[in-house]
């Protein structure tokens, strides 16, 4: 297999950029049928080309060089410890998974421009702490399954909800988009979301990712699945990026089981 260029960058965009609207009230594939009071994210009234989202789009940097800081002057140590705990470890992903990049704790913001490309837009002022953790597992066919788990804590529940709603506005406008490295995300759309115990809102999305390779080419379309749950000011996201010859339902089942592991640590 040709080495994939900027895969972690692409996974970060897929994990945090475009989000689909889903309903959680009637779904036979619930993670936990005891969840109550869940709602689906709603696009803000102004869901135009100027709607922003806190997607991440930089390769992992060494901890000493990561940008950080909020309106209050920096990542909260307490909140950072919490998001570090919530993001899944390779062992929690399962047998064969290993770390594919350093944890990302930067709170840099990226906004979708009018051409449906994510660009650096400074810092997320309402974000208190963020942890993105990246894993991979080899497949018998020589390809890899890639995964990302993300935990974020915002200043309050309204800020966390607004972040989700702004991301929804982006995907309604840009179902096909790119990141700054030319990785492509196509046919991104919402799917039925599972219920998650204790969550205030949940959504799920699926789509296709195309990454650049070290020989200047591009990968085949790679199905990905993602589910995000919010409880108050905290959101947890899990994304599975499959090999081209896998079926999307494989990632759908896996990502829901993994989200259950993460939200059990709420």
């Amino acid at each position: 297999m040709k080495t994939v260029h900027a895969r972690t960058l692409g996974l970060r965009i897929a994990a945090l950029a475009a989000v689909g609207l889903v309903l959680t009230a009637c779904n036979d594939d619930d993670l936990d049928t005891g969840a109550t009071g869940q709602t689906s994210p709603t696009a803000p009234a102004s869901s135009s080309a100027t709607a922003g989202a806190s997607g991440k789009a930089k390769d992992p940097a060494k901890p000493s060089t990561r940008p950080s800081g909020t309106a209050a002057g920096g990542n909260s140590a307490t909140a950072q410890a919490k998001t570090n705990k919530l993001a899944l470890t390779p062992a929690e992903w399962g047998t064969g998974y290993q770390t594919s990049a350093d944890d990302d704790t930067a709170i840099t913001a990226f906004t979708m421009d009018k051409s449906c490309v994510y660009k650096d837009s400074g810092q997320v002022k309402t974000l208190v702490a963020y942890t993105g953790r990246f894993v991979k597992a080899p497949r018998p066919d020589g390809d890899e399954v890639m995964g990302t788990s993300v935990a974020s804590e915002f200043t309050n529940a309204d800020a966390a909800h607004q972040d989700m709603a702004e991301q929804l506005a982006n995907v309604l406008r840009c179902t096909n988009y790119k990141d700054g490295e030319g990785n492509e995300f196509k046919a991104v759309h919402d799917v039925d979301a599972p219920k998650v115990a204790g969550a205030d809102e949940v959504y799920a999305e699926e789509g296709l990712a195309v990454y650049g390779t070290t020989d200047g080419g591009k990968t085949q379309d790679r199905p990905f699945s993602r589910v995000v749950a919010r409880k108050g000011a905290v959101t947890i996201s899990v994304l599975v990026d499959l090999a081209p010859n896998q079926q999307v339902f494989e990632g759908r089942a896996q990502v829901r089981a993994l989200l259950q592991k993460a939200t059990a640590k709420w």
Side-chain angles (χ1 to χ4, degrees), residues 25 50 73 86 98 100 109 136 138 176 195 200 226 233:
T50 60
L86 292 174
Q98 60 185 359
S100 63
K136 63 182 179 181
N176 302 309
K195 290 181 181 178
D200 297 314
R226 176 180 179 241

Side-chain angles (χ1 to χ4, degrees), residues 58-207:
K58 286 187 177 179
D59 287 321
K62 295 180 180 179
S64 61
T65 62
R66 293 183 207 270
S68 64
T70 65
N75 293 48
S76 161
T78 301
Q80 191 65 61
K82 182 175 183 177
T83 59
N84 289 347
K85 176 183 177 181
L86 292 174
L88 296 170
T89 65
E92 289 174 311
W93 277 79
T95 303
Y97 280 92
Q98 60 185 359
T99 298
S100 63
D102 292 340
D103 288 358
D104 174 29
T105 57
I107 55 176
T108 306
F110 281 75
T111 303
M112 189 88 78
D113 69 11
K114 293 182 179 180
S115 301
C116 295
V117 176
Y118 266 93
K119 294 186 176 179
D120 189 337
S121 60
Q123 295 180 345
V124 187
K125 292 182 172 59
T126 60
L127 191 58
V128 180
Y130 167 91
T131 302
R133 192 162 287 153
F134 311 97
V135 299
K136 63 182 179 181
R139 284 178 47 79
D141 60 9
D143 213 306
E144 294 175 322
V145 174
M146 305 293 291
T148 306
S149 61
V150 170
S152 303
E153 182 167 342
F154 292 82
T155 51
N156 53 51
D158 286 343
H161 169 74
Q162 182 64 19
D163 183 74
M164 292 170 66
E166 288 178 346
Q167 292 182 55
L168 166 61
N170 278 338
V171 81
L172 292 176
R173 182 174 65 86
C174 296
T175 57
N176 302 309
Y177 61 93
K178 296 181 180 180
D179 63 25
E181 297 295 323
N183 298 311
E184 302 175 43
F185 303 91
K186 307 187 299 183
V188 182
H189 61 282
D190 65 286
V191 295
D192 287 341
K195 290 181 181 178
V196 178
D200 297 314
E201 57 184 329
V202 184
Y203 55 71
E205 69 173 7
E206 294 174 352

Side-chain angles (χ1 to χ4, degrees), residues 16-66:
L16 289 173
V19 194
L21 174 65
V22 298
L23 302 176
T24 63
C26 299
N27 179 26
D28 293 332
D29 298 323
D30 296 343
L31 291 184
D32 188 311
T33 56
T36 60
Q38 296 178 25
T39 62
S40 53
T42 311
S46 177
S47 58
S48 64
T50 60
S54 59
K56 311 290 288 185
K58 286 187 177 179
D59 287 321
K62 295 180 180 179
S64 61
T65 62
R66 293 183 207 270

